[in-house]
Amino acid sequence: MSRAEYISENVYVVLVYPKYQGNIGAVARSMWNSGLKHLIIVGNKPEDEAFARSMGGRFILENAEIVDDFSCIVPKFNIIAATSSTASNDEKHFRRLPLTPEKFWDEMAGENGKIALVFGREDDGLRNAEIEKCNYFINIPGNPEYPVYNLSHAVAIILYVMFTRFNPPENIEVAAIVPEHEDLMIRDIIQIMGMTSYPQHKIRNTELLIRRLIARSHMSDREYFRMMGVIRRVKDSLSKVVKDESDH
């Protein structure tokens, strides 16, 4: 599989409740400039103005997937990258620890799963609940006094960096971990935390942190099965300890 074919088949743009039809059309045009063809729109449909602005990307709008809820598309992707003008360098706020577009695409160099680039509303971006469903966070640097980019411009910048820097393997042979396996691993880890009296109020944030670590590790299916063997042994050993304590 060539570089261009890989990008075209595996990189998706997701627009969450876009307000302006002109932006929707301009996004489709930028996507086709970059060789992308898969567009998902949450909560809106392309209309005449969008088609007029799309130019050569018209077919992208004609084939766009329209959904009512962002959550329903999450299981389809290995990498889900939120984009926002609001970022944090404080590790306590790891939901918004940013990567520049350059750093993000450098990290994707060895990735071989499906990637969703998620862009929020023009007026107030993505909600925290939506960002929590993502395992990467992209922030485009800008003037600190006005760092907010127009939606279509933000898409164009990130896709330009993708086109110039993203270099997936020419021959993709290693299968990436599927979302269902990630969920099973997280479930077992959470069960282990429960067995060790891990504070209940910290489990949700810890789950989000582990999901991001798994995403960044580019774990293969083979690595997953080996790790699950270790996790299951720990879980079984703890179960025996808990049982022995309850018997006494």
Side-chain angles (χ1 to χ4, degrees), residues 135-198:
N135 45 35
Y136 273 84
F137 184 81
I138 304 173
N139 174 254
I140 304 172
N143 175 8
E145 295 183 7
Y146 190 60
V148 182
Y149 288 83
N150 173 274
L151 170 62
S152 62
H153 295 172
V155 173
I157 290 169
I158 291 175
L159 296 189
Y160 168 77
V161 176
M162 174 200 74
F163 198 78
T164 57
R165 297 185 70 138
F166 185 29
N167 189 26
E170 285 299 314
N171 295 302
I172 299 169
E173 298 176 354
V174 179
I177 182 175
V178 297
E180 291 83 359
H181 285 169
E182 178 181 326
D183 289 339
L184 288 173
M185 179 178 283
I186 295 293
R187 184 200 66 187
D188 280 2
I189 292 173
I190 290 175
Q191 288 176 352
I192 288 171
M193 286 191 285
M195 292 177 184
T196 59
S197 301
Y198 193 86

Side-chain angles (χ1 to χ4, degrees), residues 185-227:
M185 179 178 283
I186 295 293
R187 184 200 66 187
D188 280 2
I189 292 173
I190 290 175
Q191 288 176 352
I192 288 171
M193 286 191 285
M195 292 177 184
T196 59
S197 301
Y198 193 86
Q200 186 67 32
H201 67 281
K202 293 185 178 181
I203 287 181
R204 176 57 177 160
N205 275 349
T206 303
E207 175 189 349
L208 294 171
L209 180 59
I210 293 171
R211 286 190 184 278
R212 283 158 175 75
L213 291 174
I214 291 173
R216 293 187 179 190
S217 73
H218 307 302
M219 184 181 296
S220 68
D221 255 356
R222 183 175 181 180
E223 291 167 334
Y224 160 79
F225 285 115
R226 297 189 72 172
M227 285 299 299

